[in-house]
């Protein structure tokens, strides 16, 4: 393999400098990469052949031109978040050999989602266990579990839309159509991703949860700018978290927003520093040190304050932390909630805030960390895959952002995992930020509506789009297709194309389209009925998930089986 890497470096240098690549070098790379068409994944994944701004620009263009007005926010009073999956393909070996100095890379949006909402646990639909697996009205599907979209944050909508795309691509592969992204694996019924293809995840904002807990920095030439209530609530989160603050926090937040009160932050050596706005007097707010602070909270606070040590106390840059509305999972270590830098504790699992009752949906930071080990395909598709489908890079649009926080939340929490089943490996996903802002982000709308007295609210709708031939577009609200009346809830027409039931039915159609002898071992001659049955039968995926939970994601909130027993 060292020979192959040596030749790879030669080829990569040639590509970078637009030099011709010889047949001998290509042959050696090919041979040393176990028959792979052409070993271009390192350059593709590294971003050497594409940029963060190119990915962002492509996604914004797709949003403007391919998504309808329905489901988009009213720019006079609403904002939303955007996420997408972009397929990046390099030239195949044959194309490189035909034109050695002209390496082509194509980028295509294959899945997209918008949204900011998440339903509470009370709205989740489950089997009535008092009378068996199905509820009393199962005949007319009024109580069918799996038919509601629980989590409509943009990242999750995009990922589920991506799973819909992968299911279609798997059907193309099983139908022996060359346009699929999958090629046959070494095991019966198994497939793998083409070697010249990678996927880049784009989000217009920092993922909610741990990745959003980042220092608020004041550029030296803008020290006069106050930290407003909006800033303290967390620009990077943008999930209406003010509604989920305690009474005292709400009072402080509102007072800060209206009076531009500036906090004096306490430093490690008991000194103070102030951020002084122009034409405003400084109101001194001392930071109380609590003796009963838990060890991890102290550790987190010290970590944040390290930044102040590095910038010097004379002209501080870090004045607070962006807040996340995501709540620590029940029964686990909680936030210290100390005003200022020690408010949050980092590295913890969190659930998204709901409108009223608590949700069962883990934060987007937590889910991205999970995908970085288990892949984005989910348990069902893993039946057909030799290796998980991983993201090679994550690009975030222009917004409050911290490379350290992103890496901590998505990569480092699960980096130490060991004894995973074959094929599952914690990824070193590339993390990048674009300088391009999403036109319907909260910050962008706020800037346009500076003088407006209208209260800005998150858009209630979510849009799902997949690169599939039939009904690629889906607009939902409150978990069901937009426009669904109360009477129609539970009907086939009310379901989103990316809810559990619909994705499961697409998977079942895929299974039935393949002959028994061509099915993978996990599906051959098995009596599997429910969604739960098929998920549990994906043995390697379930083993990997068990290892991940036990070693890194302890406390993960799992849905009870009554939410998953449906056909």
């Amino acid at each position: 393999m060292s020979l192959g890497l040596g030749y790879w470096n030669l080829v990569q240098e040639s590509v970078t400098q637009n030099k011709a690549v010889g047949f001998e070098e290509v042959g050696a790379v090919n041979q040393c990469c176990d028959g792979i068409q052409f070993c271009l994944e390192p350059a593709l994944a590294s971003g050497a052949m594409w940029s963060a701004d190119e990915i962002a620009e492509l996604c914004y263009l797709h949003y403007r031109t391919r998504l309808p007005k329905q489901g988009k926010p009213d720019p006079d009073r609403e904002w939303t978040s955007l996420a997408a999956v972009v397929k990046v393909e390099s030239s195949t070996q044959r194309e490189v050999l035909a034109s050695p100095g002209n390496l082509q890379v194509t980028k295509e949006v294959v899945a997209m989602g918008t949204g900011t909402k998440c339903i509470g646990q009370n709205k989740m639909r489950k089997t009535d266990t008092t009378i068996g697996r199905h509820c009393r009205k199962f005949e007319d599907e009024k109580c069918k579990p799996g038919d509601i979209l629980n989590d409509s944050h943009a990242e999750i909508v995009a990922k589920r839309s991506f799973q819909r795309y992968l299911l279609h691509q798997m059907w193309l592969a099983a139908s022996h159509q060359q346009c699929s992204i999958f090629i046959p694996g070494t095991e019966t019924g198994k497939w793998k991703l083409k070697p010249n293809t990678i996927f880049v995840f784009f989000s217009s904002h920092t993922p909610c949860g741990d990745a959003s807990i980042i220092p608020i920095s004041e550029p030296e030439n803008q020290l006069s700018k106050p930290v407003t209530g909006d800033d303290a609530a967390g620009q990077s989160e943008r999930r209406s978290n003010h509604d989920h603050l305690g009474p005292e926090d709400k009072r402080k937040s509102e007072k800060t927003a209206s009076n531009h009160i500036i906090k004096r932050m306490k430093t490690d050596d008991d000194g103070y520093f102030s951020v002084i706005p122009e034409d405003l007097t400084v109101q001194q707010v001392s930071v109380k040190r609590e003796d009963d602070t838990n060890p991890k909270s102290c550790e987190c606070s010290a970590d944040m304050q390290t930044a102040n040590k590095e910038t010097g106390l004379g002209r501080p840059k870090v004045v607070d932390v962006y807040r996340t509305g995501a709540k620590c999972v029940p029964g686990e270590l909680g936030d210290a909630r100390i005003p200022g830098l020690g408010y949050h504790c980092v590295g913890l699992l969190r659930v998204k805030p709901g409108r009223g009752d608590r949700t069962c949906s883990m934060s987007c930071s937590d889910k991205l960390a999970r995908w970085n080990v288990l892949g984005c395909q989910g348990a069902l598709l893993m039946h057909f895959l030799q290796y998980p489908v991983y993201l090679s890079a994550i690009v975030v649009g222009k917004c409050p952002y911290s490379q350290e926080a992103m890496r901590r939340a998505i990569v480092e929490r699960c980096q130490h995992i060991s004894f995973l089943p074959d094929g599952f490996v914690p990824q070193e996903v590339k993390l990048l930020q674009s300088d391009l802002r999403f036109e319907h982000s909260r910050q962008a709308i706020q800037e346009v509506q500076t003088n407006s007295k209208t209260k800005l609210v998150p858009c209630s709708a979510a849009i799902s789009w997949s690169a599939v031939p039939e009904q690629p577009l889906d607009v939902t609200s409150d978990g069901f297709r937009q426009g669904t009346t109360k009477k129609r809830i539970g009907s086939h027409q009310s379901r989103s194309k990316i809810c559990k039931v619909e994705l499961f039915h697409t998977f079942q159609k895929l299974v039935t389209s393949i002959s028994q002898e061509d099915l993978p071992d996990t599906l051959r001659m098995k009596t599997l009925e429910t969604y739960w049955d098929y998920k549990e039968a994906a043995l390697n995926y379930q083993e990997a998930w068990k290892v991940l939970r036990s070693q890194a994601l302890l406390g993960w909130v799992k849905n009870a089986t009554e939410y998953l027993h449906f056909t």
Side-chain angles (χ1 to χ4, degrees), residues 63 67 71 80-83 112-116 152-154 157-158 438 461-464:
Y63 173 81
L67 268 57
T80 193
S81 300
L82 176 72
M112 181 166 279
T114 72
T116 64
S152 292
H153 280 210
V157 175
F438 177 45
I463 306 175
S464 161

Side-chain angles (χ1 to χ4, degrees), residues 106-406:
T106 59
K107 299 179 291 293
E108 176 191 2
V109 175
V110 296
M112 181 166 279
T114 72
T116 64
K117 302 291 185 179
C118 193
I119 68 166
Q121 186 174 5
N122 290 339
K123 286 190 175 182
M124 292 174 65
R125 295 151 71 78
K126 59 185 178 180
T127 306
D128 189 340
T129 54
T130 62
I131 55 171
R133 282 188 162 182
H134 306 294
C135 74
R136 293 179 178 87
K137 297 181 181 179
F138 185 76
E139 291 77 12
D140 62 359
E141 299 182 304
K142 283 291 180 185
C143 299
K144 191 166 188 176
D147 66 355
I148 190 169
L149 200 57
N150 299 328
D151 190 341
S152 292
H153 280 210
E155 297 96 322
I156 312 309
V157 175
K159 184 256 192 179
R160 297 186 72 82
S161 302
F162 182 50
Q163 288 178 323
R164 192 178 175 211
Y165 164 79
L166 291 176
L167 280 165
H168 175 66
Q169 291 294 315
M170 187 58 70
W171 179 83
L172 290 176
S175 304
H176 307 291
Q177 300 190 39
Q178 292 184 352
C179 55
S180 173
I181 61 172
F182 295 114
I183 57 175
T186 57
E187 302 172 32
T188 301
K190 295 279 190 175
W191 302 82
K192 60 184 180 182
L193 195 62
K194 286 181 178 178
N196 64 323
T197 301
I198 66 162
F199 293 103
V200 176
F201 192 84
F202 173 77
S203 178
S204 64
H205 57 285
T206 305
C208 68
D210 197 55
S212 287
I213 305 172
I214 59 179
I216 295 178
S217 298
E218 289 285 342
E220 290 189 6
N221 61 349
Q222 293 182 12
L223 278 174
S224 60
K225 282 193 175 182
V227 181
T228 66
D230 273 344
D231 290 329
Q235 292 267 24
S236 58
E237 169 52 25
R238 299 309 186 199
R239 304 292 193 189
S240 307
N241 54 347
H242 181 270
D243 295 336
H244 308 284
L245 295 175
E248 182 66 14
D249 289 311
K250 279 188 179 181
R251 184 187 64 78
K252 288 181 180 178
S253 177
E254 289 164 0
K255 188 175 180 183
T256 304
S258 59
N259 299 331
H260 299 282
I261 292 174
I262 308 304
K263 292 181 179 179
R264 301 184 73 213
M265 307 305 299
K266 195 168 185 179
T267 64
D268 287 349
D269 57 358
D270 291 332
Y272 289 84
F273 63 81
S274 302
V275 179
I276 306 175
E278 294 177 355
D279 304 321
L280 287 175
T281 57
V282 177
Q283 179 157 346
Q284 299 182 4
V285 182
S286 62
V287 179
K288 182 180 177 183
R289 186 185 297 274
E290 298 183 11
D291 294 330
D292 59 347
T293 303
N294 63 57
K296 192 161 186 177
S297 297
C298 292
E299 178 183 316
C300 297
S301 179
D303 180 60
M304 290 295 184
Q305 293 199 27
T306 300
N308 280 333
K309 283 185 175 182
E310 293 173 353
T311 57
L313 295 175
R315 295 183 65 81
K317 287 192 176 182
V318 179
V319 296
D320 205 337
V321 291
Y322 286 101
R323 309 285 164 83
T324 176
K327 308 300 181 185
C328 298
V329 297
E332 297 294 317
L333 192 64
D335 288 319
R337 299 179 75 86
I338 301 171
L341 303 181
Y343 186 89
H344 279 308
C345 191
V346 299
L348 302 183
L349 291 174
R350 297 173 181 272
V351 291
K352 292 168 181 168
R355 301 182 68 181
D357 61 316
R358 184 182 285 271
T359 77
C360 289
S361 298
M362 302 300 294
S363 74
C364 290
S365 292
D366 297 334
K367 290 186 176 182
L368 279 162
R370 174 180 173 172
W371 305 341
N372 201 45
V373 178
L374 302 184
C376 290
Q377 74 293 321
L380 296 182
L381 260 172
M382 203 62 218
H383 282 288
F384 290 101
L385 291 170
Q386 193 161 330
Y387 308 107
V389 177
Y390 289 115
L391 299 171
S392 294
I394 298 173
V395 175
V396 176
K398 185 178 181 181
C399 67
Y401 176 89
S402 165
Q403 185 77 4
E404 291 74 22
M406 284 285 289

Side-chain angles (χ1 to χ4, degrees), residues 68 70-72 461-464 473-477 480-483 496:
Q70 180 191 6
K72 288 181 179 177
I463 306 175
S464 161
L473 194 68
D474 210 40
V475 181
T476 57
S477 181
F480 293 103
R481 277 194 176 174
Q482 194 174 52
S496 164

Side-chain angles (χ1 to χ4, degrees), residues 508-524:
Q508 286 179 308
K509 290 177 183 177
L510 171 64
V511 173
T512 56
S513 72
I514 302 171
S515 60
Q516 278 287 324
E517 60 270 19
D518 291 331
L519 285 173
D521 289 340
T522 52
L523 294 176
R524 202 179 306 162

Side-chain angles (χ1 to χ4, degrees), residues 1-16 21-22 24-33 36-49 90-91 96 103 105 195-196:
M1 192 62 179
S2 59
L3 175 65
L5 288 174
Y7 271 108
W8 159 247
N9 291 332
L10 186 153
V11 173
Q12 190 176 32
E13 181 183 352
S14 299
V15 169
T16 304
V21 182
E24 181 183 349
E25 289 84 354
V26 171
V29 171
N30 212 22
Q31 182 180 357
C32 295
C33 290
I36 288 177
Q37 290 177 343
F38 189 55
C39 193
L40 284 172
E41 293 93 330
L44 279 176
S46 70
M49 304 165 79
S90 67
S91 305
V96 169
L103 186 62
V105 173
N196 64 323

